[in-house]
Amino acid sequence: MLVRWNPLRDLETLHGEIDRIFDEAVGRPVMRGETRTASWVPTVDIHEDQDGVNLSADLPGMTQKDVKVNIDNGILTLSGERKLERENKKESYHRLERFYGSFSRSFSLPNTVNTEKVDARMEHGVLKIHLPKREEAKPKQIEIKVS
């Protein structure tokens, strides 16, 4: 399984860490949710078994309405937005370490996946996607006959 590489992702992460270290050094409150509207990247686990490929993405605080799953030309794309919701607009946050804003992740699918039978579910803030293998791609045991 191939993952689409974003050459700027590491640079954006480094820039954010330098800003965070500087903010902490001068005693400025870190307000990532307000100052950083750039995209964030949810963590994803991918494993394959004999039935298909299984993907789990951590999306805490999000519901299925906040997330989109698309397949186009063999590319699986997860996208969505996590919004910062405050009950009291006058609250003064000293630190916001969770990322908010839009995200998008894309994965190249092997041609063994049956894209017509993909199953996606949200369970306790985890998006679980099962990408079943085509029948002809599943391993088969060949019986040896005695003659």
Side-chain angles (χ1 to χ4, degrees), residues 64-123:
Q64 68 272 16
K65 296 174 188 172
D66 303 322
V67 182
K68 292 181 185 174
V69 178
N70 295 315
I71 297 178
D72 187 27
N73 283 336
I75 304 290
L76 171 71
T77 302
L78 312 177
S79 60
E81 183 176 3
R82 183 165 55 193
K83 296 178 182 171
L84 174 63
E85 296 179 13
R86 294 190 202 173
E87 292 181 17
N88 183 351
K89 300 286 185 192
K90 295 181 182 180
E91 288 182 29
S92 177
Y93 283 83
H94 293 283
R95 185 180 222 53
L96 289 173
E97 293 187 342
R98 295 187 295 167
F99 285 95
Y100 297 90
S102 62
F103 71 89
S104 181
R105 298 241 12 215
S106 296
F107 305 92
S108 297
L109 298 176
N111 58 6
T112 57
V113 168
N114 183 350
T115 58
E116 301 300 319
K117 295 186 178 180
V118 174
D119 180 49
R121 302 169 188 264
M122 284 289 281
E123 296 178 11

Side-chain angles (χ1 to χ4, degrees), residues 24-36:
E24 287 179 355
V26 297
R28 187 180 317 156
V30 178
M31 298 291 287
R32 285 189 182 181
E34 301 236 322
T35 61
R36 304 247 189 273

Side-chain angles (χ1 to χ4, degrees), residues 38-55:
S39 61
W40 59 281
V41 181
T43 56
V44 173
D45 290 341
I46 301 171
H47 75 278
E48 184 175 356
D49 58 26
Q50 67 183 18
D51 295 323
V53 177
N54 299 291
L55 182 143

